[in-house]
Amino acid sequence: MTTAKLSFTMVYRPLFITLLGAFAISADTHAQMDAERLTPAGSDLAPQINSATRFSQIPFDEHLQALPDFKGNSCEQLLIPLRALNGAKGEYETSAAYAQRLEQIRTANLAGSITASSIVSFEATRHASISSEYDADAKVLSVYFSMSPSSEIMSGGQSIASAVIDLLERNVDSYVAENIYGRKSDVTRTRAKVCAIGFKNLKFEPGRAEIHMQIEADKAPAARKNLGLIYVGQLSAPYLLKYSYSQAPTVSLPVDFEAVGDVIMLQLKKAYLYDRQTGEIHRVADYK
């Protein structure tokens, strides 16, 4: 017998192991993640979407008036070239030498016509915990969303926000845990590998954002059903940091969850709330 977290006594019992599947943790006090890996895009955006990756191979165009069948750039695809760039300052590297090296890095090609200084976009709907409510009298649709789970990332001594974009791997099993009072619970243990994005200009604050928009009652149901969220930002040094998020099991919530991975660093410029079916842009939030 070994000891698990929070004074549980653990008896290991295999449940199942899977890759590229679903994972979830509870809302509010523990946060919520969606249950699916990103779905490949369709073929309607053939000039913009690479046939092999099904993701955009060009920088984001901030002048677009609509986003039909939009999937943005691939978080996973950008990881390999960004790792090779080594954008972090070395311990024995002077500030002047680092600045000079960054100038060379910024022109490095990552994928298609995307460079290390490009403005890129990430479709974040699956892990954004979007909810909404409609006020028929005011004809206002209120949309609430959170970066889920948003891990606190330290960058340059500051605490910044991050958001999971891709689930790369998931391993799940279960065990029986017993507390000091002899109460037993079946604990589901999940270990996940993710690709996330970090916002250099957005302070980490647990909670949710909200957007309110005027819309007629006959159009509100379709708008709520197809709400989508896109983050747009400029790739920025140090380009990659490490992601880590965990939740310890309790008797009332027997979930043992841990996600690790890489964080692609961005200077967040815009967040788009849009209709995933029609591509209509509902609102654009600007960030400085």
Side-chain angles (χ1 to χ4, degrees), residues 128-179:
S129 295
I130 298 176
S131 61
S132 62
E133 59 184 13
Y134 186 69
D135 185 331
D137 294 324
K139 297 182 179 180
V140 171
L141 178 64
S142 298
V143 182
Y144 309 96
F145 63 92
S146 62
M147 303 168 188
S148 190
S150 180
S151 177
E152 183 178 11
I153 304 296
M154 297 304 295
S155 176
Q158 295 186 341
S159 174
I160 64 172
S162 66
V164 169
I165 299 299
D166 285 347
L167 169 63
L168 306 181
E169 295 179 3
R170 184 192 72 151
N171 297 314
V172 182
D173 56 36
S174 73
Y175 57 85
V176 177
E178 182 177 350
N179 67 7

Side-chain angles (χ1 to χ4, degrees), residues 138-287:
K139 297 182 179 180
V140 171
L141 178 64
S142 298
V143 182
Y144 309 96
F145 63 92
S146 62
M147 303 168 188
S148 190
S150 180
S151 177
E152 183 178 11
I153 304 296
M154 297 304 295
S155 176
Q158 295 186 341
S159 174
I160 64 172
S162 66
V164 169
I165 299 299
D166 285 347
L167 169 63
L168 306 181
E169 295 179 3
R170 184 192 72 151
N171 297 314
V172 182
D173 56 36
S174 73
Y175 57 85
V176 177
E178 182 177 350
N179 67 7
I180 59 175
Y181 303 105
R183 181 177 175 181
K184 296 181 179 180
S185 297
D186 289 326
V187 177
T188 299
R189 174 168 49 192
T190 302
R191 296 295 179 262
K193 182 178 180 181
V194 303
C195 182
I197 53 177
F199 309 112
K200 293 185 67 174
N201 54 330
L202 192 62
K203 183 180 178 181
F204 174 77
E205 294 181 356
R208 65 181 185 178
E210 56 185 75
I211 295 177
H212 307 279
M213 56 186 186
Q214 292 286 147
I215 188 170
E216 295 295 330
D218 59 337
K219 296 181 179 179
R224 295 179 70 175
K225 179 181 178 181
N226 298 310
L227 285 172
L229 178 66
I230 291 175
Y231 292 121
V232 175
Q234 186 170 24
L235 293 167
S236 180
Y239 295 104
L240 284 180
L241 291 176
K242 290 299 180 182
Y243 180 93
S244 179
Y245 180 93
S246 62
Q247 172 185 315
T250 64
V251 173
S252 59
L253 187 67
V255 176
D256 180 353
F257 180 88
E258 182 178 280
V260 297
D262 293 290
V263 180
I264 295 177
M265 297 301 295
L266 301 176
Q267 187 77 14
L268 183 62
K269 295 177 68 66
K270 298 176 183 292
Y272 287 77
L273 188 67
Y274 79 114
D275 188 306
R276 288 178 292 133
Q277 183 175 35
T278 67
E280 177 184 357
I281 298 172
H282 295 306
R283 282 293 177 89
V284 180
D286 294 294
Y287 297 85

